[in-house]
Amino acid sequence: MSKNYIFFTRNTLPQPEAHLVQVANCANAAANLGFPTVLLYLQTGLAAFNPLKWIDPFQPQKPEPNLVKFYNLHEKLKVVPLPMFWPTDSLRGKLSYSHIVCQYYWPRYILPHTKIVHTRNWNFAKAAIRHGVPAIYEHHHHEDKQFEPEAVNNPLFQAAVTVVDTVRESMIENGMPPEKIVKIHNGFNKSFMLRYPQEAQEWREKLLFDERQHLVVYSGALYRFKGVDLLIDVAKILPEVQFVFAGGSQEKVEIYRQRAREKYVKNVTFLGYILHEQLPSLFQAADVLAHPHCSGKAATFTSPLKLFEYMASGTPIVATEIVSLMEFKSSGAIAGWCEPDNPTKFAQCLQQVLNNYPRKVEGYRDNLNYVSQFSWENRIAKILSCVK
């Protein structure tokens, strides 16, 4: 019986969440490196009510086309949707999703096929250790919970992966052994380094109007702390520049469209969620990519997931000076930096970059050379180098 590198998320897929993009691409990268890799996720709704799946759920299969397009997956990755018996996870105790996965699926169906697990779900990692399987655990945010000593000190607990030093410090405070923590950045899908000149030009023809010549693109969730409100204020200062926002739920898109109307900002476009396979050409269509962020607690741990995708496009970037980004200031890969919470400063910085970094169809070579170290494949290889 073959043994697999198992990735697990306690979510249904696909969904437009950054942490799910991260999980899917990590699993995809492990498969690209040649490891037999299976991504486990939850299946709910009518598709889950199939007794044959309950009896024999571990049937690795190719991802459905919509999943492939959503996260830009490649042909080597296999997936297993784990059917949930209940329509929601509002139940607790022995009827919860967590209990079903860890107590029912784990010993009967997951264990026989598993060599090692990699997950952001602490309960799943502990279940692996209980069943004698090595575990890699990812922890990217501050949480006020103690890690159980019997789990973190177990030799089977191989590594706790985080992306910033501030989260590493809080993990240590909550009982994680420092020697087991691996700090390593997120990455980017290699498709972002391919060139899409025709598709990029089509984006520009679609998005640039009213005789505007410059296109600024923001990709990510639509939240105030992410700097979305700030960027709308920047757009008002620079009416001759077209600003495009890619990401966010339909509800958030409508909220921000209304907010822009209330501020009489006419040079903004909200696209909603864009399939991952379409983002590279959109980024290459831009004159500048915006990475705004407000100050505050989130600025100390936010994972620069889109930063590496931005870099891989070869397009100039304007970023806010926040803790989790400052180590990249000396790299030269960011064209402009400015203080957080200040739309006037951001607008000035953006205008300066537009003047000094004309758009190149082939991208800026320095960015492309620098970012190659941050591919998802390199990230997985570095993590596995810490595994015994």
Side-chain angles (χ1 to χ4, degrees):
M1 183 179 296
S2 62
K3 299 278 188 173
N4 299 283
Y5 189 172
I6 299 292
F7 286 78
F8 171 75
T9 177
R10 189 180 164 279
N11 294 271
T12 57
L13 297 179
Q15 291 187 63
E17 302 288 342
H19 70 281
L20 299 179
V21 172
Q22 195 260 1
V23 171
N25 275 273
C26 282
N28 183 66
N32 286 344
L33 289 174
F35 299 106
T37 306
V38 177
L39 172 60
L40 303 183
Y41 56 92
L42 305 189
Q43 184 181 57
T44 58
L46 292 177
F49 284 87
N50 183 340
L52 295 178
K53 290 184 178 180
W54 302 348
I55 295 170
D56 189 15
F58 200 94
Q59 298 291 332
Q61 62 194 45
K62 290 184 177 181
E64 294 290 337
N66 66 323
L67 193 63
V68 171
K69 290 184 178 181
F70 213 87
Y71 300 122
N72 211 359
L73 304 178
H74 303 137
E75 69 277 1
K76 294 183 180 180
L77 178 66
K78 298 293 190 295
V79 300
V80 170
L82 294 174
M84 293 293 106
F85 311 135
W86 317 111
T88 72
D89 196 24
S90 59
L91 303 172
R92 294 291 180 263
K94 293 185 178 181
L95 298 180
S96 70
Y97 287 173
S98 181
H99 186 87
I100 292 172
V101 171
C102 294
Q103 300 300 324
Y104 175 68
Y105 283 129
W106 238 115
R108 295 173 178 84
Y109 306 110
I110 300 175
L111 177 60
H113 301 278
T114 304
K115 182 76 171 178
I116 189 169
V117 304
H118 193 144
T119 183
R120 294 173 69 142
N121 185 278
W122 183 233
N123 287 334
F124 193 87
K126 290 188 294 182
I129 294 168
R130 284 198 306 271
H131 293 294
V133 174
I136 300 168
Y137 171 62
E138 297 239 9
H139 188 86
H140 294 196
H141 302 283
H142 297 296
E143 292 185 26
D144 188 20
K145 71 175 183 181
Q146 292 292 312
F147 295 104
E148 297 90 328
E150 62 272 18
V152 297
N153 293 319
N154 192 303
L156 289 171
F157 184 67
Q158 296 288 295
V161 183
T162 191
V163 291
V164 291
D165 288 324
T166 52
V167 175
R168 181 182 186 276
E169 292 164 4
S170 67
M171 291 171 71
I172 294 172
E173 292 174 0
N174 289 330
M176 185 65 69
E179 67 275 10
K180 290 197 174 184
I181 301 176
V182 179
K183 182 225 167 181
I184 184 169
H185 290 295
N186 278 313
F188 70 93
N189 189 303
K190 286 187 174 180
S191 65
F192 281 83
M193 294 197 79
L194 301 177
R195 306 309 300 175
Y196 305 90
Q198 181 177 342
E199 293 88 344
Q201 183 58 36
E202 290 171 359
W203 276 117
R204 290 182 70 84
E205 292 172 0
K206 176 182 177 180
L207 297 172
L208 280 172
F209 42 85
D210 291 341
E211 299 184 354
R212 298 188 183 102
Q213 301 298 313
H214 294 302
L215 180 66
V216 174
V217 171
Y218 164 88
S219 174
L222 301 182
Y223 293 108
R224 180 181 293 274
F225 76 89
K226 292 279 190 180
V228 176
D229 295 74
L230 179 143
L231 203 55
I232 292 175
D233 293 338
V234 172
K236 190 169 186 176
I237 297 171
L238 300 174
E240 71 282 3
V241 177
Q242 184 67 39
F243 289 76
V244 171
F245 297 78
S249 65
Q250 192 56 42
E251 179 185 6
K252 284 289 187 181
V253 166
E254 292 304 324
I255 289 173
Y256 272 99
R257 281 176 179 164
Q258 179 61 30
R259 199 164 293 179
R261 285 193 291 266
E262 291 171 354
K263 293 185 175 184
Y264 300 101
V265 181
K266 299 180 179 180
N267 55 326
V268 295
T269 301
F270 293 90
L271 299 176
Y273 186 80
I274 298 296
L275 293 175
H276 217 59
E277 69 170 3
Q278 296 177 307
L279 284 177
S281 59
L282 176 61
F283 291 173
Q284 292 171 28
D287 294 277
V288 175
L289 297 170
H291 197 309
H293 204 287
C294 296
S295 59
K297 185 177 181 180
T300 68
F301 66 80
T302 185
S303 173
L305 180 63
K306 66 172 173 272
L307 183 69
F308 304 119
E309 296 174 349
Y310 278 8
M311 289 180 185
S313 72
T315 304
I317 303 165
V318 171
T320 306
E321 296 172 328
I322 57 174
V323 173
S324 59
L325 299 186
M326 291 311 294
E327 67 180 274
F328 300 103
K329 197 166 186 179
S330 61
S331 70
I334 311 297
W337 292 89
C338 62
E339 65 185 60
D341 311 318
N342 192 325
T344 301
K345 292 287 188 182
F346 200 98
Q348 291 172 352
C349 183
L350 192 55
Q351 187 64 70
Q352 185 178 27
V353 171
L354 286 170
N355 293 338
N356 296 338
Y357 293 84
R359 179 173 177 265
K360 292 183 178 182
V361 174
E362 69 277 15
Y364 279 81
R365 180 51 52 186
D366 288 347
N367 283 23
L368 298 173
N369 291 338
Y370 175 77
V371 77
S372 60
Q373 63 185 300
F374 296 108
S375 71
W376 289 116
E377 287 77 9
N378 284 348
R379 185 179 193 271
I380 291 296
K382 289 176 183 177
I383 292 172
L384 291 180
S385 71
C386 303
V387 171
K388 297 178 182 178

